């Protein structure tokens, strides 16, 4: 396969990756979703992420049918990546895509829920040790030694079964030996039984002595003329005396015994200079051999201790070892554990639950927006067929009806209608990626396309046309579509918007899709199909602080009210200028002066009660 065969990689990008990584390594990085490798090769992180999403989840990306859906998808991955235990785990989370295969969704859900349970089972001290181990792993940029030490920490914390079975399969004593051995290695160890190992200073005293002697011999060899001047003395009577003095000098400076230096000296030197340079040159060569022999022996011992023995003559590694070393297995297991534990921590911190995967419908019980912080009122809602029974942990009437294909959601401004659409979109996307969802319970169908369209406050024909081109084509395509559309009246005049909304609701039912449409025009709609209903969110008044008090739980089969008297009441109460206040009081008469006064009285009572 060529680099240019991947989505988003043109000739220039292909050349850059090939020059930096090599074609084979670049393809491996793409197939393994290695964002860091592509970024190190010079690609912008955002572009690298988009390339890898397409490379590893092309079919799943088609679920993101609109820019608003893609925005929610990006925000969800950014949110979950914040919980990542390592930089590489964060990268892997950012390239998650919806999964086209239902078995793959169930399998990932199994792993993430198990990871969530494993994380919550740890006490605070164990969590701190695990986090510290991953921090050290990140600081060491995933070095072999850091990977082994992290694997040891995970085993000691009890994270060694289920999706972490690869950690449990590693032998604890072998890991500790490997950690000690890796302390004697400089840099990373390449995979393979015959990989070269750079033995660190301090690993072996004899090797250190041989290296010191070799370094001293090289220094002398590089200054052979100075050596000759040092040993040449007017008292030297003959060439034989100079040879002896040279041998004594070299032995003293290098620590090599005299016999070894003598053995390296030539017997047929032409003159004193030739004798000195040849002696040093040949001694350096002999010491290099001695260092290589000792380093090979020490490296073989290290290789044995880390589970990467040199292959036997028959091509099989010793002691029934697989071709992959214990260290390589530990590194792979730790990387996978970091990814799953990161998702598990995300699920645990936000009380996410496993959704029930169904053929059709989307329904949530006590759902919460993943993007709203602080105390929030959970909401139950749904369309399509589901089994979230009335009264199962809900107030009477709070369980969404089952069987309706479309709902038209009405109600107060700032009543959470758009947030509910966004929450349903987030639940559908999380479930499609095999991730738990922010609710007490959820049933989620499989969707080929999710059409989320936020309210865009631009009133012109161009916006209307672009909006219809955005939401209608995915609705009429074959497959299962979820429509989540906000306030059509914001892009055309109310009468025409009502007509268009009627048409969209009817088309959604006819196409067998599911939809939630938000509008303030419920009273202007024509009779809806039998498979559609109208729900409402109600504002209930003002708080003592004059904030709008809203019951965010929709009431099913009821038209919600915008209740402008609450807004006007707040404006009247907050007006400091007498003229402005008089203007707002005039508006109060238009929307119902009695209702405004009652609201103000209730707010005053609430303030006193507080």
């Amino acid at each position: 396969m060529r680099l240019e065969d991947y989505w988003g990689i043109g000739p220039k990008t292909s050349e850059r990756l090939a020059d930096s990584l090599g074609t084979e390594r670049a393809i491996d990085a793409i197939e393994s979703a290695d964002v860091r490798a592509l970024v190190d090769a010079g690609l912008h992180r955002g572009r690298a992420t988009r390339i890898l999403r397409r490379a590893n989840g092309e079919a799943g990306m088609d679920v993101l049918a609109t820019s608003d859906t893609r925005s929610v998808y990006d925000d969800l991955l950014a949110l979950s990546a914040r919980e990542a235990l390592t930089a590489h785990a964060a990268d892997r989370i950012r390239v998650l895509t919806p999964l086209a295969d239902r078995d793959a969704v169930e399998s990932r859900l199994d792993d993430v829920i198990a990871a969530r349970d494993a994380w919550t089972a740890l006490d605070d001290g164990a969590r701190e040790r695990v986090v510290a181990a991953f921090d050290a792993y990140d600081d060491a940029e995933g070095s072999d030694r850091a990977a082994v030490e992290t694997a040891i920490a995970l085993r000691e914390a009890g994270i060694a079964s289920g999706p972490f079975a690869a950690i449990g399969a590693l032998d604890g004593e072998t890991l500790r030996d490997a950690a000690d051995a890796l302390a004697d290695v400089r840099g990373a160890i390449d995979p393979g039984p015959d990989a070269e190992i750079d033995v660190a200073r301090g690993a072996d005293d004899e090797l250190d002595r041989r290296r010191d002697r070799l370094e001293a011999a090289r220094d002398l060899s590089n200054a052979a003329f100075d050596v000759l001047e040092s040993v040449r003395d007017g008292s030297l009577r003959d060439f034989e005396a100079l040879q002896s003095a040279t041998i004594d000098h070299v032995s003293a400076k290098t620590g090599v015994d005299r016999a070894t230096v003598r053995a390296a000296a030539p017997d047929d030197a032409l003159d004193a200079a030739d004798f000195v340079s040849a002696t040093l040159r040949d001694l350096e060569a002999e010491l290099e051999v001695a260092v290589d022999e000792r380093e090979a022996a020490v490296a073989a011992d290290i290789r044995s201790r880390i589970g990467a023995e040199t292959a036997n003559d028959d091509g099989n590694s010793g002691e029934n070892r697989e071709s992959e070393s214990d260290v390589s297995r530990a590194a792979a297991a730790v990387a996978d554990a970091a990814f799953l534990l990161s998702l598990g921590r995300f699920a645990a911190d936000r009380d996410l639950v496993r959704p029930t995967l169904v053929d059709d419908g989307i329904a949530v019980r006590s759902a919460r927006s993943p993007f709203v912080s602080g105390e929030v009122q959970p909401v139950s809602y749904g369309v399509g067929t589901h089994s979230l029974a009335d009264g199962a942990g809900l107030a009477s009437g709070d369980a969404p009806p089952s069987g309706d294909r479309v709902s038209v959601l009405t109600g107060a401004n700032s009543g959470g209608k758009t947030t509910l659409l966004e929450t349903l979109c987030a639940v559908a996307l999380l479930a499609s990626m095999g991730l738990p969802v922010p609710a007490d319970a959820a049933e989620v169908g499989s969707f080929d396309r999710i059409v989320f369209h936020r309210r865009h406050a631009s009133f012109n024909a161009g916006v209307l046309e672009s909006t219809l081109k955005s939401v209608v084509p995915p609705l009429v395509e074959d497959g299962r579509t979820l429509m989540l559309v906000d306030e059509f009246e914001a892009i055309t005049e109310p009468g025409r918007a009502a007509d268009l909304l009627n048409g969209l609701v009817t088309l959604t039912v006819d196409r067998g899709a599911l939809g939630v449409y938000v509008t303030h025009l419920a009273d202007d709609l024509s009779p809806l199909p039998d498979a559609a209903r109208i729900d409402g969110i109600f504002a209930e008044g003002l708080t003592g602080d004059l904030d709008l008090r809203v019951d965010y739980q929709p009431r099913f089969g009821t038209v919600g009210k915008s209740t402008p008297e609450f807004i006007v009441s707040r404006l009247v109460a907050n007006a400091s200028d007498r003229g402005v206040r008089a203007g707002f009081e005039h508006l109060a008469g238009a929307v119902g002066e009695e209702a405004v006064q009652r609201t103000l009285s209730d707010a005053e009572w609430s303030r006193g009660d507080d």
Side-chain angles (χ1 to χ4, degrees):
M1 190 168 187
R2 301 181 311 135
L3 284 171
E4 292 180 41
D5 292 336
Y6 291 99
W7 181 92
I9 298 181
K12 291 184 179 179
T13 302
S14 174
E15 183 178 357
R16 175 181 295 177
L17 292 176
D19 289 344
S20 178
L21 300 173
T23 300
E24 185 175 347
R25 173 69 184 92
I27 290 174
D28 287 343
I30 293 170
E31 294 293 336
S32 62
D34 190 346
V35 175
R36 181 181 298 179
L38 299 191
V39 171
D40 289 345
L43 270 64
H44 185 276
R45 180 173 294 276
R47 186 178 183 197
T49 298
R50 290 191 295 273
I51 289 172
L52 295 181
R53 285 173 178 172
R54 286 287 179 177
N56 294 279
E58 177 73 30
M61 293 298 289
D62 292 338
V63 172
L64 312 176
T66 63
S67 61
D68 287 328
T69 309
R70 290 189 289 273
S71 176
V72 173
Y73 162 77
D74 287 335
D75 290 344
L76 285 171
L77 293 185
L79 202 64
S80 52
R82 292 177 196 166
E83 300 290 341
L85 291 160
T86 67
H88 183 57
D91 286 339
R92 288 181 63 177
I93 289 171
R94 292 188 189 98
V95 299
L96 289 175
T97 66
L99 298 167
D101 181 70
R102 180 57 65 93
D103 289 339
V105 173
E106 293 279 14
S107 177
R108 181 175 289 162
L109 276 170
D110 288 342
D111 289 345
V112 175
I113 293 300
R116 180 202 64 186
D117 295 344
W119 181 258
T120 56
L122 299 177
D123 60 34
D124 290 343
R127 288 182 190 173
E128 289 175 2
R129 289 190 294 274
V130 169
V131 171
F134 279 119
D135 285 345
Y137 174 83
D138 239 11
D139 290 342
E141 297 184 347
S143 72
D144 293 326
R145 184 181 180 186
V148 169
E149 290 174 342
T150 304
I152 293 171
L154 292 175
R155 286 175 57 85
E156 291 175 346
I159 299 175
S161 61
F164 309 108
I167 295 290
L170 299 168
D171 181 72
E173 184 176 348
T174 299
L175 287 178
R176 282 184 284 273
D177 288 345
D180 292 339
L182 288 167
D184 295 334
V185 176
R186 290 186 296 202
I189 299 177
D190 294 331
D194 294 318
E196 192 172 314
I197 291 178
D198 189 359
V199 180
R201 180 168 287 276
D204 180 74
D205 291 342
E206 176 59 25
L207 177 58
D208 287 346
R209 281 192 295 272
R210 295 188 185 189
R211 284 174 168 172
D212 289 342
R213 292 169 180 170
L214 174 58
E215 184 177 354
R218 283 175 174 163
D219 289 343
L220 292 179
S221 184
N222 291 332
F225 180 79
D226 293 335
V227 172
L228 177 60
E229 289 299 311
S230 297
V231 301
R232 178 176 284 158
D233 191 303
S235 62
L236 292 180
R237 295 183 299 275
D238 54 33
F239 185 62
E240 185 176 341
L242 182 138
Q243 290 176 318
S244 179
T246 299
I247 292 169
D248 288 341
H249 180 82
V250 172
S251 176
K253 291 294 185 180
T254 62
V256 177
D257 64 88
R258 224 177 154 276
T260 301
V261 179
R262 173 68 262 188
D267 294 326
D268 54 353
L270 299 177
D271 53 29
D274 185 34
F275 179 83
V276 171
S277 61
T279 298
L280 293 173
R281 184 175 59 251
D282 292 348
L283 179 63
E284 181 182 351
E286 288 189 16
L287 293 177
E288 285 177 347
V289 172
V291 167
D292 290 344
E293 289 176 349
R294 186 64 184 180
E295 188 164 19
V298 175
D301 177 66
I302 292 174
R303 190 177 290 108
S304 175
R305 290 157 62 198
I306 64 175
E309 292 86 344
T310 303
N312 296 328
D313 291 340
D314 60 1
N316 297 318
S317 58
E319 300 181 10
N320 296 318
R321 294 282 184 183
E322 298 177 6
S323 60
E324 188 180 23
S325 72
D326 291 328
V327 172
S328 297
R329 286 193 289 273
V334 165
D336 290 341
F339 170 68
L340 284 178
L341 273 180
S342 298
L343 292 174
R345 184 163 76 155
F346 171 64
D349 288 352
R350 294 178 174 269
D351 296 322
L352 307 186
V353 302
R354 180 180 189 134
T356 299
L357 303 183
V358 296
D359 292 333
D360 183 54
I362 178 169
V364 291
R365 179 189 302 151
S366 298
R368 306 163 300 278
S369 169
F371 308 118
V372 177
S373 58
E375 292 293 326
V376 297
Q377 178 186 350
V379 172
S380 299
Y381 204 72
V383 288
T385 303
H386 62 86
S387 60
L388 296 185
D390 187 16
L394 299 170
S396 178
D398 281 352
S402 175
D404 296 320
R405 305 299 300 173
V406 177
S407 70
V408 176
L409 185 58
T410 64
N413 289 317
S414 302
K417 300 184 297 296
T418 302
T419 299
L420 177 52
L421 289 185
E422 188 177 67
T423 300
L424 292 174
C425 182
V427 166
L429 287 172
L430 286 168
S432 73
M433 290 186 284
L435 301 179
V437 302
D440 287 354
E443 295 182 3
V444 184
S446 176
F447 300 107
D448 298 298
R449 287 165 299 280
I450 298 174
V451 178
F452 178 40
H453 182 78
R454 288 188 176 98
R455 176 180 181 271
H456 297 279
S458 297
F459 194 73
N460 61 65
V463 172
L464 174 61
E465 181 179 355
S466 65
T467 299
L468 293 177
K469 289 170 67 175
S470 173
V471 302
V472 173
L475 176 57
V476 299
E477 288 183 26
D478 291 336
R480 295 155 293 191
T481 303
L482 174 63
M483 304 290 293
L484 303 167
V485 180
D486 194 14
E487 291 193 32
F488 252 68
E489 57 264 36
I491 57 174
T492 190
E493 62 270 23
R496 299 280 77 187
D499 294 338
L500 286 170
L501 183 55
N502 267 111
L504 278 173
V505 170
T506 302
L507 182 60
T508 302
V509 173
D510 290 345
R511 296 297 301 180
L514 297 174
V516 180
Y517 293 92
V518 167
T519 186
H520 290 288
L521 304 177
D523 293 335
D524 299 324
L525 297 177
S526 301
L528 297 175
D530 291 339
R533 70 172 191 266
I534 294 179
D535 300 330
I537 293 176
F538 287 79
E540 299 179 331
L542 298 179
T543 68
D545 296 326
L546 299 179
D547 293 326
L548 192 64
R549 187 171 67 250
V550 178
D551 178 10
Y552 294 102
Q553 173 58 52
R555 301 177 192 178
F556 305 108
T558 303
V559 176
K561 298 299 182 182
S562 295
T563 53
E565 64 269 21
F566 296 148
I567 304 300
V568 174
S569 300
R570 179 164 60 185
L571 295 173
V572 170
N574 285 332
S576 57
D577 182 88
R578 292 178 60 185
V580 172
R581 182 184 179 92
F584 287 141
E585 287 174 340
H586 180 80
L587 292 179
V591 300
E593 185 172 354
E594 182 179 347
V596 170
Q597 291 302 321
R598 185 170 58 251
T599 298
L600 290 172
S601 296
D602 290 344
E604 187 66 32
W605 179 86
S606 177
R607 184 183 297 113
D609 187 55
D610 291 341

